[in-house]
């Protein structure tokens, strides 16, 4: 009798562990973040088990070099970033015992960045007009103990402004916190 009860208990425990692991391979339905390096707010909405819409409002930074004056300039601008993300390695991470909660995984995304006109200026460099960038990107997001969130994104796209259409490399690093439950 003790063997049967012990076997039932272990079976129930194993089933719960397997179900909990399977449930964790899905993206969060709603996730809010606060970014610190470039101050901003993020909302990520999960459509199904692997796809999300990522919406960010933040302060961006740019760099420009002027060969005529032999000087460089860093400028700041408000920006909106929308991404349709596909998290492709959640099952693989879960199978290895790695964390997938709070969308900790690698993703591919189609990004649309709208950069408003610069809020900092330098007369030697001219104006920094608003622009729109469309780019496919690869990235990773990890949320650690204490809800510390790290995100890294790379890609290449096309930037459109009132003067030019040009190639634009994309690199983004965020450090922040997941807020909410």
């Amino acid at each position: 009798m003790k063997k049967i009860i012990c076997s039932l208990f272990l079976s129930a425990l194993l089933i719960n562990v397997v179900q909990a692991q399977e449930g964790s391979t899905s993206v969060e339905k709603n996730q809010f973040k606060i970014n610190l390096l470039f101050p901003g707010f993020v909302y990520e909405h999960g459509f199904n088990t692997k796809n999300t819409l990522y919406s960010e409002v933040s302060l961006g930074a740019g760099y420009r070099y002027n060969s005529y004056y032999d000087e460089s300039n860093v400028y700041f601008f408000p920006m909106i970033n929308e991404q349709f993300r596909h998290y492709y390695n959640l099952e693989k991470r879960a199978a290895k015992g790695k964390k997938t909660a709070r969308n900790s995984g690698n993703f591919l995304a189609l990004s649309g960045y709208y950069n408003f006109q610069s809020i900092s200026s330098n007369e030697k460099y001219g104006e920094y007009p608003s622009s729109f960038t469309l780019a496919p990107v690869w990235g990773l997001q990890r949320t650690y103990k204490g809800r510390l969130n790290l995100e890294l994104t790379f890609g290449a796209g096309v930037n459109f402004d009132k003067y030019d259409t040009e190639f634009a490399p994309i690199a983004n690093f965020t450090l922040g916190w997941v807020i909410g439950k």
Side-chain angles (χ1 to χ4, degrees):
M1 182 71 171
K2 288 182 181 180
K3 287 183 180 182
I4 293 173
I5 292 174
C6 189
S7 295
L8 287 174
F9 176 75
L10 290 175
S11 297
L13 183 63
L14 181 62
I15 289 170
N16 284 336
V17 168
V18 169
Q19 286 177 345
Q21 187 64 26
E22 288 173 0
S24 67
T25 61
S26 178
V27 296
E28 298 289 332
K29 185 72 173 164
N30 297 294
Q31 179 168 277
F32 293 93
K33 296 189 310 185
I34 297 174
N35 291 336
L36 298 176
L37 292 178
F38 296 106
F41 299 96
V42 174
Y43 171 68
E44 193 169 4
H45 175 74
F47 290 115
N48 56 30
T49 59
K50 293 184 179 184
N51 298 310
T52 66
L53 178 65
Y54 174 96
S55 301
E56 176 183 12
V57 175
S58 64
L59 185 64
Y63 172 82
R64 190 178 276 177
Y65 176 76
N66 186 323
S67 60
Y68 180 77
Y69 292 105
D70 193 28
E71 292 180 2
S72 58
N73 185 35
V74 175
Y75 56 98
F76 300 95
F77 50 89
M79 67 178 267
I80 296 172
N81 177 8
E82 292 290 328
Q83 296 180 354
F84 180 78
R85 291 182 171 183
H86 174 73
Y87 287 87
Y88 63 86
N89 74 332
L90 296 177
E91 291 88 6
K92 188 176 180 180
R93 286 182 58 82
K96 290 181 176 181
K98 294 182 178 180
K99 189 174 182 180
T100 60
R102 297 182 181 91
N103 301 348
S104 290
N106 298 358
F107 59 86
L108 296 171
L110 180 61
S111 295
Y113 297 90
Y114 183 78
N115 301 322
F116 292 89
Q117 188 170 355
S118 174
I119 57 176
S120 63
S121 63
N122 184 330
E123 295 166 1
K124 294 179 183 178
Y125 292 88
E127 67 176 295
Y128 297 100
S130 57
S131 66
F132 176 74
T133 304
L134 189 60
V137 296
W138 172 88
L140 62 87
Q141 176 173 242
R142 300 293 187 267
T143 304
Y144 300 100
K145 189 175 183 178
R147 297 178 186 230
L148 176 68
N149 182 271
L150 175 119
E151 187 175 308
L152 188 60
T153 308
F154 293 105
V158 179
N159 184 63
F160 307 91
D161 64 28
K162 69 181 184 179
Y163 301 114
D164 287 321
T165 299
E166 57 192 0
F167 168 78
I170 304 295
N172 188 30
F173 174 73
T174 62
L175 180 65
W177 275 273
V178 173
I179 56 175
K181 65 176 197 167

